[in-house]
Amino acid sequence: MVLEVSHETNPDRAGPGRRAGPRGLLGRWRGTVRRPRHGARRLAGSHRGPAGGGGTYAVITHAAPGDSFWDVVKNGAEAAGKQYGASVTYQGDGDAAKQSQLIDQAVTQKVDGIVVSMANPDALKESIGKAVAARIPVITVNSGLDRSKEFGALTHVGQSEDVAGRGAGEQLKAAGVTKLLCVIHEAGNVGLDQRCKGAEQTLGGSVERLQVDVSNLADVSSKVTAKIQSDQAINGVLALNPAVAIAARDALKDAGSQAKLGTFDLSGDVVTAIKDGEVLFAVDQQQYLQGWLPITFLHLYKSNLNTVGGGLPVNTGPGFVTKDNAEQVAKLAESGTR
């Protein structure tokens, strides 16, 4: 047990009825009693304690250039930084090795916190470990929920991809889909495969996967068209990205197919397509919160040693945008917050 005692010697702090000068152990004292916490898990990236100022935070994602989904995440992170007077840098790279290098750079720069998406957790394990060893708090977002706690992150902000996939499968089943094409746009992204598996669990029909490259949307459209034309039994398509969803919509038109189309995540174009009846639904994980909340949590940790989640993830989804609520969401999507 440790007893901490402090003396008041500043006459400026002596108020009515208070005598300035040393008070001794029997006088007025301020102290805390700390008891050892046997078996308590040390917080990953334990910071150096409360400090003033807004702080410096690095957001490092697996986003490919031009991905509208991650633009909204970036908007959320930057808005939170502005709110708290913090410096927020956002960088994304679809190459896991390069993403790892960006994490290493942030550690070298001694930032106050790191936000990272883990589409390929194993490739980032060493770099995240360096951040934790340097006592830099880490929060994972979007991808990597299953490995977040293992890697030492304070918490994870996002959605359960498996749960979201099951919800998408239920929506497609209700629409009469019996054979589904699940379009995966990033190789090696474990979260995307979890979405397809989740849909397969609730659809009650067969699910086939199609690998495409999100950075080449014209090729996405042509590949989906070719697949639909070669297999007339496919009567449903699930896109896992809003840009891919629009490419898939165009592909279905080109193929003259009546297949039902659902997607993950929002963009202005997707919301318009939902209103027009071209897309059944979008699974909404509210990605603006995946930028805003981690910066908020890191700010609270830096300034007040608050932690959030109690060892469990902070869920931002899934929700569903359908024709019933698309009009309301459309106005928000135009402002870059949905």
Side-chain angles (χ1 to χ4, degrees), residues 116-175:
V116 59
S117 64
M118 301 196 303
N120 189 337
D122 289 335
L124 304 182
K125 184 175 183 178
E126 182 178 350
S127 292
I128 292 175
K130 291 177 183 177
V132 171
R135 302 177 66 195
I136 296 174
V138 175
I139 292 179
T140 59
V141 297
N142 185 264
S143 301
L145 165 61
D146 294 340
R147 307 291 295 279
S148 176
K149 188 174 182 179
E150 172 193 341
F151 284 13
L154 292 180
T155 192
H156 178 85
V157 177
Q159 71 178 2
S160 167
E161 303 294 11
D162 177 65
V163 171
R166 292 201 299 268
E170 291 170 352
Q171 296 272 341
L172 292 163
K173 181 178 181 179

Side-chain angles (χ1 to χ4, degrees), residues 6-14 18-24 27-28:
S6 62
H7 305 290
E8 287 194 345
T9 58
N10 187 347
D12 294 335
R13 297 181 61 181
R18 292 169 62 185
R19 179 170 57 86
R23 308 291 296 270
R28 186 179 183 276

Side-chain angles (χ1 to χ4, degrees), residues 172-315:
L172 292 163
K173 181 178 181 179
V177 174
T178 55
K179 185 170 184 179
L180 178 67
L181 183 66
C182 193
V183 185
I184 297 177
H185 59 275
E186 290 173 353
N189 187 330
V190 294
L192 300 184
D193 189 58
Q194 288 173 339
R195 292 176 179 181
C196 293
K197 287 180 179 177
E200 193 169 15
Q201 290 173 11
T202 55
L203 181 69
S206 61
V207 176
E208 186 170 343
R209 291 161 176 75
L210 176 67
Q211 183 71 56
V212 299
D213 181 359
V214 69
S215 65
N216 189 345
L217 293 175
D219 187 57
V220 171
S221 186
S222 64
K223 284 185 176 179
V224 173
T225 299
K227 189 63 181 178
I228 292 292
Q229 289 176 335
S230 66
D231 189 348
Q232 298 295 316
I234 295 174
N235 60 353
V237 176
L238 180 60
L240 308 181
N241 171 278
V244 172
I246 298 304
R249 176 204 62 184
D250 296 341
L252 294 177
K253 289 180 179 179
D254 292 343
S257 172
Q258 298 300 310
K260 306 296 184 181
L261 173 62
T263 187
F264 275 71
D265 305 325
L266 290 176
S267 69
D269 288 340
V270 164
V271 176
T272 298
I274 292 173
K275 291 195 297 180
D276 293 343
E278 298 172 329
V279 176
L280 279 178
F281 64 85
V283 180
D284 182 18
Q285 60 177 303
Q286 302 183 104
Q287 69 266 35
Y288 185 83
L289 294 179
Q290 294 179 17
W292 174 279
L293 289 178
I295 298 301
T296 297
F297 295 163
L298 288 172
H299 170 73
L300 288 171
Y301 186 67
K302 179 180 187 295
S303 62
N304 206 44
L305 284 180
N306 292 125
T307 58
V308 180
L312 299 175
V314 177
N315 291 321

Side-chain angles (χ1 to χ4, degrees), residues 76-90:
E78 291 179 344
K82 184 177 181 180
Q83 175 75 24
Y84 305 123
S87 173
V88 176
T89 60
Y90 176 96

Side-chain angles (χ1 to χ4, degrees), residues 89-113:
T89 60
Y90 176 96
Q91 294 174 288
D93 201 304
D95 184 324
K98 292 180 180 178
Q99 189 187 5
S100 182
Q101 291 172 4
L102 293 174
I103 297 171
D104 292 341
Q105 290 173 13
V107 172
T108 301
Q109 293 164 0
K110 298 181 180 180
V111 298
D112 292 302

